[in-house]
Amino acid sequence: ELKVEQNPLFLSMQEGKNYTIYCNYSTTSDRLYWYRQDPGKSLESLFVLLSNGAVKQEGRLMASLDTKARLSTLHITAAVHDLSATYFCAVTLNAGGTSYGKLTFGQGTILTVHP
Amino acid sequence: DAGVIQSPRHEVTEMGQEVTLRCKPISGHNSLFWYRQTMMRGLELLIYFNNNVPIDDSGMPEDRFSAKMPNASFSTLKIQPSEPRDSAVYFCASSRRGVNTEAFFGQGTRLTVV
């Protein structure tokens, strides 16, 4: 059974600081996703990471993937209040098979950025 | 594109009643997923379809839950009879096969069973 674990689950940051959210998964995966969810809202796709060593950046967020360690990180640079949200990582298996697209999610990291 | 469209956005029903949630995937997407989100269990996949065919329904909690996809542009998730523990946010998502594909989520239906 595929398990996905994030840490920390709660993160309180000051504006301007840097921090990293970690996502570990238990079995070999084809791809890893990061999503953002604002309170009461849907999930917004942030990044899709497809291969070992993949790194993607958008604004103050940067995501990376180490498939050998089964680890992805989401790094936040110089946090601002607008980044306050819940961040989920999700993993799929067997891109070539019928389970393609079947996402298993981590627990989510609730990020709060304080002035 | 309007994205994945779900209806209703909110549903309050009494225990024992039938509830039907609806989803219209993004045009051209051939995979559709139903997820449930609760505080206790997080995001769980209930069922997913490829080309309108149910592929994996192992996440459907009980026989009270059923899902259909009669065509490429419409899916329903039905709960009959509903129970208070079914209260959750139900998300529908769709995706297209491909290298860089990702699942796009609807706005969700917040279901409250009293």
Side-chain angles (χ1 to χ4, degrees):
Chain A
E1 179 188 350
L2 174 60
K3 293 185 179 180
V4 183
E5 294 188 348
Q6 291 181 233
N7 74 84
L9 300 183
F10 301 92
L11 179 54
S12 180
M13 298 176 62
Q14 273 192 314
E15 281 189 333
K17 299 293 187 182
N18 304 333
Y19 209 84
T20 300
I21 299 171
Y22 297 88
C23 174
N24 289 91
Y25 52 97
S26 60
T27 60
T28 302
S29 171
D30 293 278
R31 59 201 63 205
L32 187 138
Y33 305 80
W34 284 96
Y35 283 86
R36 168 180 171 148
Q37 186 179 35
D38 292 296
K41 303 295 185 181
S42 184
L43 284 85
E44 173 192 357
S45 177
L46 296 175
F47 300 109
V48 182
L49 302 171
L50 300 176
S51 60
N52 188 43
V55 176
K56 290 194 174 180
Q57 183 163 5
E58 182 72 34
R60 301 175 187 274
L61 301 177
M62 183 173 71
S64 65
L65 178 62
D66 180 344
T67 58
K68 295 179 181 178
R70 298 176 187 164
L71 170 69
S72 179
T73 61
L74 181 66
H75 187 72
I76 303 155
T77 301
V80 293
H81 180 70
D82 286 351
L83 290 179
S84 297
T86 299
Y87 292 85
F88 292 94
C89 64
V91 174
T92 63
L93 294 174
N94 299 331
T98 57
S99 60
Y100 185 80
K102 178 180 173 180
L103 293 169
T104 301
F105 282 86
Q107 312 95 310
T109 297
I110 300 175
L111 171 65
T112 305
V113 181
H114 298 285
Chain B
D1 197 317
V4 177
I5 300 173
Q6 292 186 245
S7 64
R9 293 291 307 278
H10 302 274
E11 177 80 35
V12 180
T13 190
E14 291 186 348
M15 182 174 62
Q17 297 298 306
E18 177 180 296
V19 176
T20 299
L21 310 181
R22 297 173 174 79
C23 175
K24 176 178 169 58
I26 293 172
S27 178
H29 284 191
N30 59 356
S31 294
L32 183 140
F33 310 85
W34 283 100
Y35 284 87
R36 178 171 68 176
Q37 185 176 35
T38 60
M39 288 294 293
M40 292 297 295
R41 300 176 67 89
L43 278 156
E44 304 173 279
L45 178 67
L46 300 177
I47 185 171
Y48 82 99
F49 297 83
N50 268 358
N51 297 319
N52 312 339
V53 176
I55 300 300
D56 184 348
D57 65 354
S58 59
M60 297 284 262
E62 302 170 27
D63 291 345
R64 298 184 296 107
F65 286 69
S66 62
K68 294 182 179 180
M69 192 166 185
N71 57 61
S73 58
F74 184 65
S75 177
T76 60
L77 177 67
K78 185 179 293 185
I79 308 172
Q80 165 63 17
S82 57
E83 296 183 2
R85 59 188 168 136
D86 302 330
S87 298
V89 180
Y90 291 81
F91 286 104
C92 176
S94 70
S95 70
R96 181 173 52 204
R97 289 184 74 91
V99 176
N100 291 322
T101 192
E102 60 203 278
F104 293 87
F105 283 74
Q107 292 299 305
T109 295
R110 181 173 296 276
L111 173 65
T112 303
V113 183
V114 297

